[in-house]
Amino acid sequence: MAVELHTLPSKCRHRFPIFEKRVYVNSCSQGALSDAVRASYDQYLRDWDEYGAPWEYWTERTEAARSAFAKLINAAPEEIAVTTSLSAGVASLASGLRFAGPRHKVVLTDWEFPTIGQIWHAQESRGARVVHVHEAEDGTLPPKHFRQAVDEETKLVSITHVCFRNGAKVDVKPIVAIAHERGVPVLLDAYQAVGSMPIDVKALGVDFLAAGVLKYLLGSAGLAFLYCRRELWEQAWPTATGWFADKNVFEMDIHDYSPAPDARRFQSGTPPVPSMYAGIAGIELMQEIGIAATQKHVRRLTELLIEGVDELGGTVVTPRNPNERGALVCIKSTDAERLVEDLDREGIVTSSRDGNLRVSLHAYNTPEDVKTVLWELGRKRSLLV
Ligand SMILES: Cc1ncc(COP(=O)(O)O)c(C=O)c1O
């Protein structure tokens, strides 16, 4: 088992210099910097220096990023908008929906990232009514709660794939089935999932998906995507827009708004060129490492971590069932921020949310990383609950 758990890190860990100095277990915040992503930034600067304004090449890079993400989630490139953050894509979508008429309700969950709650609540000034599906006493989000909340007044169901603060993975398909039975499309926030597990929008049946490259896709800030199923393109008329969302970007027409006929209508201004170099490199590197293999590897490491926390008498708030969790493990703490700082002083990079320590493992992490984290948690036992 130990040998198997070294197969993936032995293929890729040497490409992430941070491991020479630190135990990096914080990919839920940002993936570690690889040689490939660093080289892509150098390339961006070289191209800028050498060609001045190589717009044609940069346009080609936008299309390369669009295609790389499309392939990753089993969509067509025309179904993908290239955005500067997940928030930008979702805000553009929200601006394109009309809440007048019988369907004006947006159903979301208590597990959403703040940006999702904020964007949908912002639509209340445009006539939307926002309803939250709450978790059950056992800490799950049961489909029956969606059966109660989604009805003929519902415009959209907005769910997260893996919760950023407890690591729980939502069972997407039953929720999609409930929504679709009632004629309601589903938006999936897949930021905490993409790159850590295979994602297939067609198999999941979701209508919209938003994600970025900063975390398990090993890119950097500034590049994200919004998937919109082709049948729904025409149903949104974004008012948060810009010239790169126009039907003909270089027509330069200031007398008209004609959104692109496809998902590009959810874009805005100049695409994030430097971030695109990095994003493409990150996505390609994750594909080379293997996302399905990464999911398998991380599941095993995560089991070691959970067992170890149990042995310390700590409390893991992330579900035990591997099918009900992502790559993120959340551990209860009396003072999570202090625990993060204490671990940081020992060279271990983690993060905290909602009173929990967050430890997220990736393809580059080893059983030794887990042991080191557990050893330090043992020394800081008084900060565990
Ligand atoms: C689940 C989830 N959704 C959305 C976001 C925010 O994405 P952005 O800053 O690109 O809008 C994050 C970032 O941490 C996240 O974890």
Side-chain angles (χ1 to χ4, degrees), residues 28-30 83-90 111-116 119 160-165 189-193 210-215 221-225 328 353 358:
C28 60
S29 291
Q30 162 136 43
T83 65
T84 50
S85 66
L86 176 144
S87 305
V90 174
W111 288 4
E112 301 313 306
F113 193 80
T115 210
I116 295 290
I119 289 170
T160 195
H161 205 167
V162 173
C163 176
F164 75 105
R165 60 183 163 80
D189 171 353
Y191 214 151
Q192 285 293 340
V213 298
L214 179 61
K215 303 172 195 293
L223 176 64
F225 302 96
L328 166 63
R353 290 281 186 281
R358 301 197 306 172

Side-chain angles (χ1 to χ4, degrees), residues 111 161-162 167-171 197 295 299 319 323-326:
W111 288 4
H161 205 167
V162 173
K169 179 166 153 240
V170 170
D171 192 4
M197 63 182 77
Q295 181 182 33
R299 273 191 180 182
N323 297 323
E324 293 174 7
R325 63 169 186 255

Side-chain angles (χ1 to χ4, degrees), residues 168-327:
K169 179 166 153 240
V170 170
D171 192 4
V172 175
K173 280 194 200 169
I175 299 169
V176 169
I178 292 164
H180 285 181
E181 266 165 31
R182 292 155 175 80
V184 182
V186 176
L187 162 68
L188 183 66
D189 171 353
Y191 214 151
Q192 285 293 340
V194 73
S196 75
M197 63 182 77
I199 292 182
D200 180 333
V201 283
K202 301 290 183 299
L204 290 172
V206 293
D207 304 279
F208 306 99
L209 178 145
V213 298
L214 179 61
K215 303 172 195 293
Y216 301 98
L217 284 179
L218 308 177
S220 63
L223 176 64
F225 302 96
L226 179 74
Y227 157 78
C228 172
R229 185 159 66 78
R230 65 176 63 243
E231 292 77 10
L232 299 182
W233 292 339
E234 305 260 299
Q235 290 187 24
W237 185 263
T239 54
T241 188
W243 61 311
F244 276 81
D246 205 72
K247 197 162 80 189
N248 186 346
V249 179
F250 296 104
E251 200 175 40
M252 307 281 180
D253 184 359
I254 61 167
H255 299 284
D256 170 58
Y257 169 51
S258 307
D262 56 18
R264 194 167 52 74
R265 65 178 50 205
F266 300 107
Q267 292 188 192
S268 178
T270 303
V273 177
S275 309
M276 228 133 49
Y277 277 68
I280 294 168
I283 292 174
E284 284 175 355
L285 180 55
M286 264 326 292
Q287 273 168 331
E288 191 188 317
I289 293 169
I291 293 176
T294 296
Q295 181 182 33
K296 230 167 125 192
H297 172 74
V298 168
R299 273 191 180 182
R300 309 256 318 263
L301 288 184
T302 301
E303 270 155 29
L304 293 181
L305 177 63
I306 294 177
E307 277 165 26
V309 175
D310 284 347
E311 277 165 25
L312 290 172
T315 309
V316 174
V317 300
T318 307
R320 302 267 147 173
N321 180 342
N323 297 323
E324 293 174 7
R325 63 169 186 255

